[in-house]
Amino acid sequence: MTRLPVFAALLAMLPCAACAQTVVSKGNPILADGRFYTTDPAPLVDGDTLYVLTGRDIAEPEVNDFIMPEWQLLSTRDPASRKWQHIPGFIRPENVFAWAEPARAYAGQIVKGADGRFYFYAPVLEKDSDAKDRFAIGVAVADRPTGPWKDAHPAGPIISQKLPVANNIQNIDPTVLLDDDGRAYIYWGTFGQLRGMELERDMITPTGPETRIEGLTGFFEAPWILKRKGVYYMLYAGNKAGPDSDCTPAVYYACQAWGTAASPLGPWTYRGVALRPVSSTTSHAGAVEFKGKWYMAYHTADAMGGGHFRRSVAIDEMQWDDSVSPAAIRPVVPTRAPQSAPKPTRNIAGSASAVSSNVVPVQYWIAALNDAKVRANPLPPEMWGTWTGNNPKQPWVEYRWKEPVTIDGSRVYFFADQPAGSGIGVAPPAAWHLEYWDGGWKPVAGAGSYGTAAGVFQSVSFPKVTTRCLRAVFDASGTGGTFAGVGVQEWEVLAPRPRVPAAPGVAASGCGKN
Ligand code: FUB
């Protein structure tokens, strides 16, 4: 061991209350200036303080990966005051668990035990394991939420692909309930696999059996267990996707869904959606009662420079509907810190509603067309696309405005994972053009040549037209009746002069028949 890890390990043994920095937040996300991204919130109430354990994303903006070296701690005595204590660098996996690798400090939870001590359930990578997936769940213990923390089970994890029984899932996202009768239950899992198991009263030792939890429709990951008025509630990231889904239109995104059970290991019943999809593709939440009010903490991509892998914790009140049985979680209304006024722009696409010729496959999201975001390394829902494996020859997208608009330009940003001319994958279109509605669809005259290369904006300008509906029509690339998909990250429509953007469009009726 070199000196540095010894020093870091010694630091981990010190209580970290002294490392706290005071932050006065402007609203959600709590830490919004992009210096510290906070993820995977796990709230905990102890006495007069609300703690929120969080992870930390440090991925560069174009990196699509969870680069998460450590956990952080936020705490407040009054969320309405917006005054928080922030302990960055709170715990690192390798400083507490000798058997763990640095990094991948995924979603954990701190729970107060019946003995008054605090138990930290942490998914970490096991250093020396030949398991196919080395994620495993360790438990650390402390006398205070701020630590110092020590491994409560130094022999290694309590759950892995080998323990307490063999499983082939990714063992992450633990959540633990200490029931009123002193029995404790742990739930964990991701990629649609949810497990539950009783723990001994020591909060550490699995008693088994490891149970598959079924009945929670669309379960993807991030379970959060809570009990209220004798009913067990499970919040979770659900990704049941589709145009008519109550959860999410695009499969990469998730809602916070919830279900209930009359006993801790089920059977469970799906009940509904507690939080609509947020701006990050992952949705991870925890809910607690604090000083007579319920709060849901969740993460979003809303901080400065934020993204799907640069997430930040927000907190809002969560209300119950006690007029029904079991009591229902009312959908949480997300709030944001006041935002500065939008800058004037010629792009009026944001005030239109978008439709397309295709039934949009669930990996894409048509809302990406006019979200004013272009990314170097987009995920599929950051674009509209047609790829299904059997791709249309001439798809189109259409903007509809509530009132006629006068326009004289447009810009399209194509996505491609195949070269021009390809008939497979997603390729730049062979050609495209604009049509506007004027009692019938008419090609926009005088637009000159339409560029097709992907990865840059392709601009056209043309003499003014006034219309309520505009289409971009694409000739898909390909030969012999086999066509590549078309992908568009952003489609802008330009008015002659900049103006303050109007509010996002409400779906207006179409102009033509289809
Ligand atoms: O932060 C890493 C992973 O992303 C968590 O474990 C999941 O719940 C999701 O939020």
Side-chain angles (χ1 to χ4, degrees):
M1 232 190 201
T2 62
R3 275 184 174 186
L4 223 59
V6 173
F7 181 64
L10 285 173
L11 262 185
M13 291 164 67
L14 298 170
C16 218
C19 326
Q21 305 171 355
T22 302
V23 176
V24 182
S25 167
K26 294 193 173 86
N28 284 325
I30 297 170
L31 304 185
D33 63 10
R35 285 187 311 133
F36 292 93
Y37 295 109
T38 51
T39 69
D40 298 327
L44 159 77
V45 173
D46 185 42
D48 67 352
T49 305
L50 170 65
Y51 295 89
V52 185
L53 173 76
T54 85
R56 180 174 180 201
D57 279 344
I58 61 162
E60 292 298 321
E62 69 284 357
V63 171
N64 288 344
D65 194 5
F66 298 115
I67 313 291
M68 304 178 68
E70 61 197 13
W71 290 281
Q72 312 179 74
L73 193 69
L74 293 165
S75 60
T76 183
R77 293 207 170 99
D78 177 11
S81 74
R82 301 208 183 113
K83 197 169 152 193
W84 293 83
Q85 300 297 309
H86 172 216
I87 305 180
F90 174 52
I91 308 173
R92 288 189 164 233
E94 69 276 22
N95 293 349
V96 172
F97 304 107
W99 47 269
E101 234 174 61
R104 304 283 171 191
Y106 277 20
Q109 186 182 0
I110 298 172
V111 177
K112 190 172 186 177
D115 58 0
R117 305 190 82 194
F118 294 86
Y119 294 84
F120 171 37
Y121 300 86
V124 290
L125 283 178
E126 216 180 333
K127 242 188 326 206
D128 301 312
S129 161
D130 59 3
K132 204 162 166 211
D133 187 298
R134 291 183 296 117
F135 265 109
I137 296 169
V139 190
V141 64
D143 291 328
R144 285 172 294 278
T146 47
W149 291 93
K150 72 171 209 238
D151 194 343
H153 191 256
I158 61 163
I159 294 170
S160 71
Q161 284 201 332
K162 311 216 165 188
L163 290 166
V165 292
N167 74 27
N168 61 0
I169 71 165
Q170 187 168 84
N171 294 288
I172 63 167
D173 287 4
T175 178
V176 169
L177 173 79
L178 175 61
D179 211 344
D180 308 326
D181 59 3
R183 294 168 76 176
Y185 300 88
I186 185 164
Y187 308 81
W188 74 101
T190 181
F191 293 111
Q193 297 287 331
L194 176 58
R195 300 284 192 269
M197 184 171 63
E198 186 167 355
L199 295 174
E200 299 279 6
R201 283 166 191 258
D202 66 3
M203 307 282 287
I204 300 163
T205 315
T207 66
E210 193 173 305
T211 310
R212 276 169 193 269
I213 306 274
E214 313 278 0
L216 294 172
T217 306
F219 173 84
F220 181 63
E221 63 180 1
W224 179 268
I225 181 79
L226 64 95
K227 189 179 184 186
R228 182 177 180 267
K229 297 189 176 172
V231 178
Y232 300 85
Y233 290 81
M234 192 76 78
L235 282 167
Y236 59 95
N239 69 352
K240 182 187 63 167
D244 303 323
S245 168
D246 60 343
C247 177
T248 170
V251 74
Y252 275 68
Y253 281 88
C255 68
Q256 279 297 319
W258 62 283
T260 61
S263 57
L265 292 171
W268 287 87
T269 305
Y270 171 76
R271 298 290 179 185
V273 171
L275 179 71
R276 301 284 301 152
V278 292
S279 49
S280 55
T281 46
T282 59
S283 178
H284 194 114
V288 285
E289 185 177 16
F290 178 59
K291 298 186 178 173
K293 286 183 175 171
W294 279 83
Y295 294 91
M296 178 189 278
Y298 55 96
H299 67 214
T300 70
D302 293 343
M304 193 180 292
H308 305 307
F309 301 92
R310 292 154 73 89
R311 301 159 293 176
S312 299
V313 169
I315 191 163
D316 278 303
E317 270 190 51
M318 187 172 96
Q319 314 273 356
W320 295 87
D321 178 358
D322 283 306
S323 69
V324 293
S325 178
I329 299 173
R330 292 192 202 275
V332 167
V333 181
T335 62
R336 285 214 46 194
Q339 304 295 297
S340 45
K343 292 202 178 86
T345 169
R346 286 180 63 204
N347 178 19
I348 58 164
S351 61
S353 55
V355 295
S356 70
S357 57
N358 63 329
V359 175
V360 183
V362 289
Q363 73 268 31
Y364 302 119
W365 197 353
I366 196 166
L369 273 182
N370 54 350
D371 65 356
K373 285 185 194 131
V374 168
R375 298 179 204 258
N377 194 9
L379 295 173
E382 286 157 350
M383 66 187 86
W384 162 85
T386 62
W387 189 90
T388 61
N390 179 16
N391 308 318
K393 183 179 175 189
Q394 197 180 54
W396 48 258
V397 287
E398 180 181 324
Y399 282 148
R400 297 169 176 176
W401 287 269
K402 267 163 83 177
E403 306 291 339
V405 291
T406 299
I407 57 176
D408 64 357
S410 180
R411 309 200 311 156
V412 174
Y413 197 104
F414 293 109
F415 169 86
D417 57 21
Q418 299 296 320
S422 173
I424 59 163
V426 179
W432 68 285
H433 69 275
L434 294 170
E435 295 178 2
Y436 69 108
W437 182 261
D438 182 20
W441 289 105
K442 295 186 178 160
V444 166
S449 66
Y450 288 83
T452 56
V456 285
F457 267 112
Q458 298 296 342
S459 306
V460 289
S461 44
F462 43 84
K464 285 182 213 170
V465 293
T466 299
T467 186
R468 204 170 62 71
C469 301
L470 184 74
R471 273 187 188 176
V473 182
F474 309 105
D475 296 329
S477 141
T479 46
T482 305
F483 301 97
V486 177
V488 174
Q489 273 208 58
E490 195 67 21
W491 176 29
E492 294 183 355
V493 179
L494 307 178
R497 272 179 301 285
R499 54 165 115 145
V500 175
V506 179
S509 59
C511 290
K513 252 193 163 177
N514 43 13

